[in-house]
């Protein structure tokens, strides 16, 4: 699952970063980049277009969480964070910031692959859920606008709901549009005529 990936390792300690890079190289032909300064982290991560980000940090700060939110939100990539110890609310803040895997006790090179696999799998599941949620929301919005357009047609033409829907469907087919798009145009035009 994790072959030929572009991996970004965020680690300020050079020796530790090299140990992580060596462990990753032993596991496959991945392209590994190291970021050793967390200032402007989201910008640096975005510039490398990684498939996954591994962050090894003792005590994540609010600034790092904000950078992770920027790095994981709009660009959509899995992030695995390795921390030294438990901190009050840190796991929750990390997950809310878009971290796919939050591992306490630091980064152990022999656990890299299973943690990366888990982070990628969890990220893919969450992304699929977001896509399905967006589609469901869009379908509900489409349904609402179609119902409003049917109501306008029923009132204007004194017809029943089925006839109003047939008019919308025919207009959509004639124009090569979705029924929801035709309905939205009708609702918008009706709003302008008030």
């Amino acid at each position: 699952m994790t072959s030929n990936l572009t991996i970004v390792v965020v680690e300020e300690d050079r020796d530790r970063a090299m140990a992580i890079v060596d462990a990753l190289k032993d596991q496959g032909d991945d392209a590994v980049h190291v970021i050793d300064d967390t200032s402007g982290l989201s910008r640096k991560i975005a510039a490398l277009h990684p498939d996954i980000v591994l962050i090894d940090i003792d005590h994540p700060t609010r600034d790092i969480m904000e950078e992770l939110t920027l790095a994981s939100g709009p660009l959509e990539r899995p992030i695995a964070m390795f921390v030294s110890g438990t901190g009050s609310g840190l796991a929750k803040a990390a997950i809310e910031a878009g971290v796919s895997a939050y591992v306490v006790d630091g980064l152990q090179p022999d656990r890299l692959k299973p943690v990366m696999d888990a982070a990628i799998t969890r990220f893919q599941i969450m992304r699929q859920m977001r896509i399905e949620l967006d589609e469901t929301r869009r379908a509900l919005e489409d349904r609402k606008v179609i119902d409003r357009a049917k109501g306008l047609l029923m009132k204007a033409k004194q017809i029943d709901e089925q006839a109003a829907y047939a008019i919308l469907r025919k207009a959509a087919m004639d124009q090569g549009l979705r029924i929801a798009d035709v309905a939205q145009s009708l609702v918008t035009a009706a709003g302008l005529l008030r």
Side-chain angles (χ1 to χ4, degrees):
M1 171 186 288
T2 57
S3 61
N4 300 321
L5 298 174
T6 299
I7 302 170
V8 165
V9 176
V10 180
E11 171 59 70
E12 294 179 329
D13 183 283
R14 180 175 167 71
D15 292 337
R16 182 118 178 97
M18 289 302 101
I20 295 167
V21 170
D22 290 343
L24 289 169
K25 295 283 184 188
D26 288 344
Q27 295 177 15
D29 261 347
D30 301 320
V32 182
H33 304 274
V34 175
I35 296 175
D36 60 3
D37 179 6
T38 57
S39 63
L41 184 60
S42 62
R43 182 178 40 80
K44 292 174 184 174
I45 290 172
L48 294 169
H49 304 288
D51 296 304
I52 185 168
V53 178
L54 306 176
I55 299 177
D56 187 27
I57 192 163
D58 285 336
H59 303 288
T61 63
R62 174 183 285 266
D63 290 343
I64 289 178
M65 293 301 182
E66 288 175 3
E67 291 282 349
L68 289 178
T69 301
L70 291 173
S72 63
L75 299 174
E76 305 258 332
R77 65 179 50 88
I79 297 175
M81 177 178 276
F82 302 85
V83 298
S84 298
T86 59
S88 178
L90 279 180
K92 182 176 186 271
I95 297 300
E96 288 175 352
V99 171
S100 305
Y102 183 84
V103 182
V104 177
D105 249 356
L107 195 158
Q108 305 296 324
D110 59 326
R111 294 190 307 185
L112 274 174
K113 184 168 180 5
V115 170
M116 285 174 42
D117 288 346
I120 291 170
T121 300
R122 182 173 186 272
F123 172 79
Q124 290 170 339
I125 289 169
M126 294 302 291
R127 181 170 57 188
Q128 184 60 36
M129 289 174 63
R130 282 194 304 270
I131 290 170
E132 290 174 7
L133 180 61
D134 288 346
E135 289 172 353
T136 301
R137 285 181 178 152
R138 191 174 316 113
L140 284 172
E141 289 301 317
D142 287 352
R143 186 84 254 151
K144 284 181 188 175
V145 77
I146 289 170
D147 285 346
R148 288 181 62 198
K150 285 190 301 187
L152 290 169
L153 286 171
M154 290 165 63
K155 184 176 179 183
K157 293 184 166 262
Q158 299 297 313
I159 56 176
D160 65 16
E161 183 176 352
Q162 189 174 8
Y165 186 76
I167 290 171
L168 288 172
R169 187 177 62 213
K170 181 173 183 338
M173 289 175 64
D174 290 347
Q175 298 173 35
L177 297 172
R178 295 180 326 124
I179 293 174
D181 294 334
V182 172
Q184 183 61 59
S185 296
L186 179 61
V187 169
T188 300
L192 293 173
L193 294 174
R194 285 186 191 162

